[in-house]
């Protein structure tokens, strides 16, 4: 954090002239009296006309410079900092778990003195915040990168997949990946393909509230993720997040069938079209679905992704140019989120036909979320089939995007790529839709 983090324009100049820095107690004289409080950082997109103080009462006030006569630094504050406790020592003989940190809310915390949220804590700090972990496993925390998950790209997935695969070779009993929740479902799907057949569990875990808030879901999610990574009898890629609004159960979702379906609730994630893989409660695993792959076995990771795939959501009045645009940007494959059973307008269907004729691959998923694509019911669907668009059954559109990038990353193209997309690799398509 800079000395005057987030301030710009006139406000920055005003504070510089007054010799003030973040954390100082500052007194502002206005036409209607003086206000004093701790100078708080501004958020990234704040304007250049306001100064924000945290009052003694704990409230933040923003004062427009137009009403401020001058500023005086009453006392210099310490620069906000967070000193994590050294991670607790784990007992020997416990299973070994690799914790890979990637950023996101689970690795963020609020600085209560200034009120700012900072994505600053490392996986090691997180471990220090949840000391119970040391009673569950010998954990080895590592920061792979620090990004909010909206900034994740296939290159990040590849790096994570390589590190997790190496973790299996190094003898870890499980891998836990801390991750922002926004694109957790995409990364889980990507890793499900790159690590298909992995001999150990790989658990992605996020949180909706940062780890130092009383209502945080981070500690329980993390305890559940590490316990399952360390001790579960099954392998594979899963997402661990709160099961419901109470803070006592964590759901494990299959990596290819999970979505973030709520912006803010702690139980924001849902398994779509399949039962949960497992449920963790106060006394450990309370439920484990049948048929999960056992631990062990030979495994060859395939951690390559070709990002030249676009995911297009069809909408009424979508111009055919949207397909041409994606193609001009270099897309080799398109995943279309069609309406209902998998439909698009005549115009877009015609353009998809041309895209396929020119050598592109077009796949159809549904924006309905539940149910499956069926292109044989209506004329529109039949026309799409005729044009070479490949229906993807009940595969989630986000999963289809990650899979198409992975399929092309394996070097497959044409007929082979279509066959790979249609065949089930990691539970991404089911023969029968689970009612729920
Ligand atoms: N935007 C954040 C992210 O996905 C939100 C979160 O971590 O939950 O990284």
């Amino acid at each position: 954090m800079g000395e005057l983090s987030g301030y710009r324009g006139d406000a920055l100049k005003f504070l510089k002239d007054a010799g003030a820095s973040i954390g100082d107690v500052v007194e502002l004289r206005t036409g209607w009296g003086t206000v004093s409080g701790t100078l708080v950082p501004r958020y990234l997109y704040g304007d250049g006309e306001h100064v924000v103080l945290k009052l003694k009462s704990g409230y933040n006030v923003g004062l427009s410079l137009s009403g401020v006569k001058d500023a005086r630094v009453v006392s210099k504050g310490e620069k906000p900092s967070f000193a994590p406790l050294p991670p607790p020592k784990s007992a020997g003989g416990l299973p070994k778990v690799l914790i890979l940190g990637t950023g996101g809310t689970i690795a963020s915390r609020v600085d209560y003195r200034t009120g700012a949220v900072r994505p600053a804590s490392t996986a090691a700090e997180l471990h220090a915040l949840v000391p119970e972990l040391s009673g569950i496993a010998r954990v080895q925390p590592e920061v792979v990168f620090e990004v909010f998950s909206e900034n994740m790209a296939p290159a990040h997935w590849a790096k994570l997949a390589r590190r997790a695969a190496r973790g299996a070779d190094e003898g870890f009993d499980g891998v836990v990946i801390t991750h922002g929740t926004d694109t957790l479902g995409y990364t889980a799907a990507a890793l499900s393909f790159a690590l298909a057949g992995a001999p150990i569990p790989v658990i992605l875990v996020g949180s909706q509230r940062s780890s130092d808030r009383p209502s945080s879901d981070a500690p329980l999610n993390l305890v559940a993720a590490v316990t399952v990574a360390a001790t579960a009898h099954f392998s594979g890629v899963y997402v661990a997040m709160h099961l419901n609004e109470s803070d006592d159960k964590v759901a494990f979702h299959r990596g290819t069938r999970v979505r973030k379906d709520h912006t803010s609730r702690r139980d924001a994630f849902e398994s779509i079209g399949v039962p949960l893989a497992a449920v963790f409660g106060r006394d450990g695993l309370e439920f484990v679905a049948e048929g999960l792959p056992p631990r062990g076995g030979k495994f060859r990771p395939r951690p390559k992704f070709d990002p030249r795939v676009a995911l297009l959501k069809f909408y009424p009045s979508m111009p055919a140019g949207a397909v041409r645009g994606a193609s001009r940007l270099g897309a080799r494959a398109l995943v279309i989120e069609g309406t209902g059973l998998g439909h698009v307008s005549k115009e877009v269907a015609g353009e998809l036909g041309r895209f396929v004729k020119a050598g592109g691959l077009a796949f159809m998923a549904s924006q309905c979320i539940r149910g499956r694509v069926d292109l044989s019911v209506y004329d529109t669907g039949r026309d799409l089939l005729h044009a070479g668009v490949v229906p993807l059954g009940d595969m989630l559109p986000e999963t289809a995007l990650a899979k198409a990038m992975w399929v092309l990353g394996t070097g497959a193209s044409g007929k082979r790529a279509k066959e790979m997309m249609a065949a089930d690799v990691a539970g991404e398509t089911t023969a029968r839709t689970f009612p729920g």
Side-chain angles (χ1 to χ4, degrees):
M1 185 185 301
E3 287 272 281
L4 285 168
S5 174
Y7 284 96
R8 66 187 75 240
D10 291 345
L12 180 64
K13 183 167 179 321
F14 175 81
L15 291 170
K16 270 194 177 152
D17 290 348
S21 322
I22 302 294
D24 291 352
V25 177
V26 175
E27 188 176 84
L28 300 179
R29 207 158 56 84
T30 74
W32 41 268
T34 54
V35 186
S36 61
T38 306
L39 186 65
V40 165
R42 293 222 66 197
Y43 63 95
L44 198 58
Y45 304 111
D47 63 39
E49 274 120 53
H50 289 79
V51 171
V52 183
L53 297 183
K54 179 173 275 298
L55 305 180
K56 259 219 170 96
S57 62
Y59 284 102
N60 289 358
V61 285
L63 288 120
S64 163
L65 280 187
S66 60
V68 177
K69 292 188 177 143
D70 56 36
R72 186 172 73 85
V73 176
V74 179
S75 61
K76 292 302 276 180
E78 273 168 39
K79 215 172 152 203
S81 66
F82 174 73
L85 297 170
K89 293 237 174 320
S90 302
L94 288 174
K96 283 197 328 172
V97 172
L98 178 63
I99 303 187
L100 303 177
T102 72
T105 296
I106 192 162
S108 300
R109 57 193 176 72
V110 176
D111 187 307
Y112 283 105
R113 210 161 58 84
T114 63
V117 176
R118 309 196 314 153
S121 85
T122 62
E125 287 172 350
L126 205 66
H127 178 213
L129 282 171
V130 190
E132 300 96 294
L133 297 184
S134 58
I136 302 168
R138 282 176 288 158
V139 298
Q140 178 175 312
E142 263 176 47
V143 176
V144 186
F145 33 78
E146 265 187 85
V147 294
F148 282 124
S149 73
E150 50 272 33
N151 298 313
M152 288 264 181
H156 294 94
W157 302 338
K159 191 166 182 190
L160 270 179
R162 285 197 301 271
R163 183 63 194 99
R166 211 154 26 84
D169 281 350
E170 289 164 359
F172 283 96
D173 295 286
V175 177
V176 169
I177 299 174
T178 63
H179 194 293
T181 56
D182 284 6
T183 66
L184 192 55
Y186 291 82
T187 303
L191 295 188
S192 301
F193 300 117
L195 301 174
I200 57 172
V202 175
I203 315 292
L204 290 115
V205 59
S207 77
Q208 292 278 81
R209 320 263 160 85
S210 59
S211 50
D212 53 353
R213 287 180 190 267
S215 65
S216 176
D217 43 339
L220 183 66
N221 290 351
L222 205 60
V223 163
V226 171
T227 307
V228 167
T231 59
H233 63 270
F234 53 85
S235 62
V237 177
Y238 304 91
V239 167
M241 289 291 290
H242 267 43
L243 174 70
N244 50 39
E245 289 220 88
S246 317
D247 191 38
D248 58 1
K249 287 186 204 299
V250 174
F252 283 75
H253 306 270
R254 294 161 218 251
T256 51
R257 306 276 342 164
V258 60
R259 271 190 117 245
K260 181 175 183 176
D261 271 350
H262 200 283
T263 55
S264 57
R265 279 170 61 136
R266 294 185 298 185
D267 56 343
F269 281 75
E270 232 187 298
S271 283
I272 310 290
V274 293
L276 289 173
V279 175
F280 178 91
R282 292 266 168 230
D283 301 319
L285 277 176
E286 289 178 354
F287 161 79
V288 179
E290 274 169 32
L292 300 184
R295 280 179 181 268
K298 278 215 165 18
F299 149 72
R300 187 167 72 89
R302 285 193 284 178
K304 280 198 185 135
F305 298 92
D306 183 335
R308 289 174 295 173
V309 182
L311 172 58
L312 295 182
K313 180 170 188 147
F314 171 75
Y315 55 91
S317 87
M318 182 189 219
V323 173
R324 283 198 295 276
S327 162
R328 278 195 204 117
L329 286 173
R332 293 179 59 206
L334 301 177
V335 174
I336 315 294
E337 260 191 40
T339 55
L341 292 167
H343 300 142
V344 295
S345 65
K346 277 201 164 51
E347 206 191 351
V348 171
E351 200 56 44
L352 286 175
R354 282 186 278 281
F355 177 74
V356 172
K357 252 210 174 108
L361 296 166
F363 302 104
M364 184 61 72
S366 175
Q367 51 192 252
C368 286
I369 309 299
R370 291 189 169 72
R372 54 186 60 243
V373 164
D374 188 342
L375 298 185
S376 63
V377 180
Y378 294 97
D379 279 357
T380 314
R382 290 166 194 258
D383 288 348
L384 285 166
L385 274 180
H386 190 69
V389 174
V390 179
L392 293 180
D394 65 346
M395 204 184 301
L396 301 180
E398 302 86 355
T399 297
L401 175 81
K403 185 173 182 187
M405 289 180 173
W406 172 76
V407 165
L408 295 183
T410 64
S413 61
K415 189 164 172 269
R416 173 88 188 109
K418 284 195 227 173
E419 282 165 6
M420 283 178 80
M421 279 302 283
D424 185 47
V425 175
E428 68 276 20
T429 44
T430 65
R432 199 177 61 86
T433 301
F434 175 76

